[in-house]
Amino acid sequence: MGKVDTPVSRKEIAHTFATPKVTQSLEWRLFFSLAICATILYLHFLTDIGPKSHSADNDPWVGLASHCADAQPIDGSEVLQRQENLAKILYDHGASAYVAEPGANAQYFGNISQASWHLSERPLLLMIFPTLEEASIVAKITVITPAFEETRAKLLLVPGIDVTYASWAEDEDPYAVALHALSTLKGPIYVDGMMRNFIVDGLQKAAPGVHVMTAPPDVTQLRERKSLAELDLLRCANEVTVLGIRAVQAQMYIGIRESEVQVMIDEALAVAGLRERWALVLFGENAALPHGSGTDRVLGKADFILIDAGGLLFEYHSDVTRTFMLHDSSIPPEHTMIWYDVHTAQTLAHAVAREGVNTSAVDRVARDWLDGRGYKEYFTHRLGHGIGLEGHEAPYLRGGTDDTIRTGNAFSNEPGIYIEGKVGIRLEDCFYIDESGNSVFLTQGVGGQAQSPLYP
């Protein structure tokens, strides 16, 4: 599909989500508030089907350990296919090579992450360059390594049909060694867009007649568009994060502290098998600061609970936010109304996000809805970010962008309202664009979006 410059027919949205405009009558607003209150009372009444507390004899994390037990890391053959795809693009562009240092891109193309090789002033570089062999374009791999680290570098197990290592001594120029390793040096050298400046400068100085430049969209889109195997890992990681939040909710009580809940969510995600876990836990007005205030507040009956959490499953990230209440909570009706307005904004954005749509249009439809509800100054951040080998990566769902959504893209969808001193509400689910061009929540397998303030 072609690029869509407007938020996908607002008439279509209005038709699908027939909701009163900001100019609603006072009578309608009163009716809506009463309906919300009635809903809350009804949900309080349904304690027999809601979250249950766990006895000491029961496992509070039941089911978490098994949920992603069958998940598998990315297969080496998939990495080889990535290298081949990159080599073809390099060849078509007349580029000499693609160069990355340890990080998400080197991990994607060569299994070298910052966890496996920490960055220092001594560069270790992954270089991929195309060669033509018997009418086929083949990816050649060279790892540029400090000489005294060569043995350790070879333990990285970089996939590739033809992987070589070029070492540089302490008194040598590593960039001259890198360029000497190339089979040809004619066209531009593409570099990872996150590469440190001193390495880019070093490469450019060593090759004054060659343009060293950030890799173009044809290259960056390779990682932006996730494979089925990548989506499987993202899906499981995000599902188990939601399950972990629900399991924590079932053990919470009025009077618990933010720090206690943070320990609980970390334990839940650890049982689930996620690494490099993190969690933001905020009660009441603390959640009005999107990244938290850190006061270790005690949970009151009138407080919403915000948990933003995630971790890694075979290097792929989860990122989920739920704002919710307990059965014993007594949330002010005006705060509950905000919750449903944020939920509607998330739903509208999800309906608009599909192949061919401009990323800024998705942000705009959620923002227009919340602006119209009177929250213009309180939705203070972008709608979403890409997710994959990085927790935040391109493309982004924000105003001012000009990217086009494509199949395989994965994003967060996280509208929020933050009224300092009063309340903060954010709902976040990540989604991907399927082969039909439609958006699908990565959390769909465990229910997708939060159902209500009581059922996250």
Side-chain angles (χ1 to χ4, degrees):
M1 293 176 62
K3 183 170 70 175
V4 177
D5 294 322
T6 59
V8 181
S9 150
R10 303 198 181 178
K11 291 183 178 179
E12 176 184 334
I13 295 169
H15 213 62
T16 307
F17 298 91
T19 42
K21 297 181 179 178
V22 148
T23 55
Q24 319 162 16
S25 68
L26 181 61
E27 291 81 3
W28 186 89
R29 285 182 177 273
L30 178 61
F31 171 79
F32 189 77
S33 298
L34 291 172
I36 292 294
C37 292
T39 300
I40 295 171
L41 291 173
Y42 177 67
L43 291 174
H44 273 278
F45 177 74
L46 295 178
T47 55
D48 58 321
I49 63 171
K52 303 293 192 297
S53 60
H54 294 273
S55 72
D57 297 330
N58 293 332
D59 178 7
W61 314 130
V62 62
L64 291 182
S66 61
H67 192 77
C68 295
D70 296 331
Q72 297 294 321
I74 297 299
D75 188 285
S77 62
E78 181 162 327
V79 179
L80 294 179
Q81 184 61 58
R82 296 170 179 176
Q83 294 172 357
E84 182 180 326
N85 293 340
L86 174 59
K88 289 178 179 177
I89 292 172
L90 296 175
Y91 186 84
D92 290 343
H93 284 233
S96 297
Y98 172 82
V99 185
E101 59 176 335
N105 287 307
Q107 182 178 350
Y108 182 82
F109 291 114
N111 195 38
I112 306 177
S113 68
Q114 285 192 36
S116 61
W117 193 282
H118 294 290
L119 300 181
S120 77
E121 76 281 7
R122 296 183 177 96
L124 178 125
L125 303 175
L126 173 72
M127 297 178 52
I128 302 176
F129 51 95
T131 61
L132 191 61
E133 295 184 359
E134 298 179 357
S136 296
I137 300 168
V138 178
K140 298 288 186 179
I141 313 295
T142 297
V143 178
I144 309 300
T145 174
F148 77 98
E149 297 272 41
E150 184 172 355
T151 299
R152 186 166 74 94
K154 289 180 177 178
L155 297 176
L156 291 170
L157 301 177
V158 177
I161 296 174
D162 185 1
V163 180
T164 60
Y165 293 79
S167 63
W168 55 276
E170 292 281 71
D171 59 351
E172 288 186 288
D173 180 353
Y175 312 108
V177 171
L179 297 178
H180 182 72
L182 295 178
S183 59
T184 60
L185 185 57
K186 296 180 181 178
I189 296 174
Y190 293 158
V191 297
D192 175 358
M194 300 299 289
M195 183 173 282
R196 292 175 294 174
N197 285 339
F198 77 87
I199 296 179
V200 177
D201 293 342
L203 289 168
Q204 188 65 80
K205 183 178 178 180
V210 175
H211 190 194
V212 179
M213 59 185 292
T214 301
D218 283 0
V219 173
T220 59
Q221 286 172 10
L222 291 175
R223 186 160 76 85
E224 291 173 4
R225 303 179 71 176
K226 275 62 180 179
S227 69
L228 294 178
E230 291 179 289
L231 290 173
D232 282 343
L233 291 174
L234 287 169
R235 186 181 297 112
C236 203
N238 281 272
E239 286 177 354
V240 83
T241 302
V242 169
L243 295 177
I245 292 173
R246 292 175 184 164
V248 166
Q249 181 201 29
Q251 300 176 73
M252 291 180 63
Y253 53 88
I254 303 300
I256 196 170
R257 288 190 172 275
E258 291 171 337
S259 59
E260 294 176 276
V261 176
Q262 192 161 16
V263 170
M264 291 164 64
I265 188 67
D266 182 73
E267 183 180 347
L269 298 185
V271 170
L274 299 189
R275 297 189 307 102
E276 297 187 25
R277 301 171 300 279
W278 56 272
L280 183 66
V281 178
L282 303 168
F283 298 162
E285 67 266 24
N286 281 358
L289 299 179
H291 288 164
S293 60
T295 65
D296 200 19
R297 179 190 171 95
V298 170
L299 181 65
K301 291 179 72 70
D303 293 337
F304 264 135
I305 303 143
L306 186 151
I307 297 180
D308 186 351
L312 294 182
L313 179 64
F314 294 119
E315 311 307 324
Y316 283 82
H317 286 258
S318 67
D319 192 357
V320 174
T321 305
R322 289 290 186 268
T323 303
F324 58 92
M325 59 188 281
L326 305 182
H327 276 278
D328 294 335
S329 300
S330 297
I331 305 298
E334 59 269 26
H335 293 179
T336 304
M337 187 179 297
I338 295 172
W339 191 99
Y340 280 101
D341 282 333
V342 171
H343 189 271
T344 299
Q346 188 188 45
T347 303
L348 288 168
H350 189 65
V352 167
R354 56 179 184 259
E355 184 183 18
V357 174
N358 189 289
T359 48
S360 63
V362 185
D363 177 277
R364 187 161 61 250
V365 72
R367 200 165 300 278
D368 284 352
W369 163 257
L370 293 175
D371 287 356
R373 295 289 292 157
Y375 308 120
K376 185 171 184 177
E377 62 185 290
Y378 302 118
F379 182 14
T380 53
H381 55 73
R382 68 193 173 208
L383 178 68
H385 53 80
I387 189 167
L389 286 170
E390 295 177 284
H392 291 191
E393 62 182 41
Y396 296 90
L397 301 178
R398 65 175 181 83
T401 58
D402 194 30
D403 296 317
T404 299
I405 294 176
R406 300 176 183 275
T407 57
N409 285 163
F411 301 93
S412 70
N413 177 353
E414 48 180 310
I417 294 299
Y418 312 95
I419 304 175
E420 292 188 16
K422 293 185 178 180
V423 66
I425 295 171
R426 179 168 67 254
L427 297 172
E428 177 183 17
D429 290 86
C430 294
F431 68 94
Y432 70 97
I433 304 300
D434 67 13
E435 293 179 353
S436 299
N438 299 314
S439 56
V440 181
F441 281 123
L442 288 166
T443 50
Q444 194 65 43
V446 292
Q449 293 170 281
Q451 297 179 36
S452 72
L454 189 57
Y455 297 100

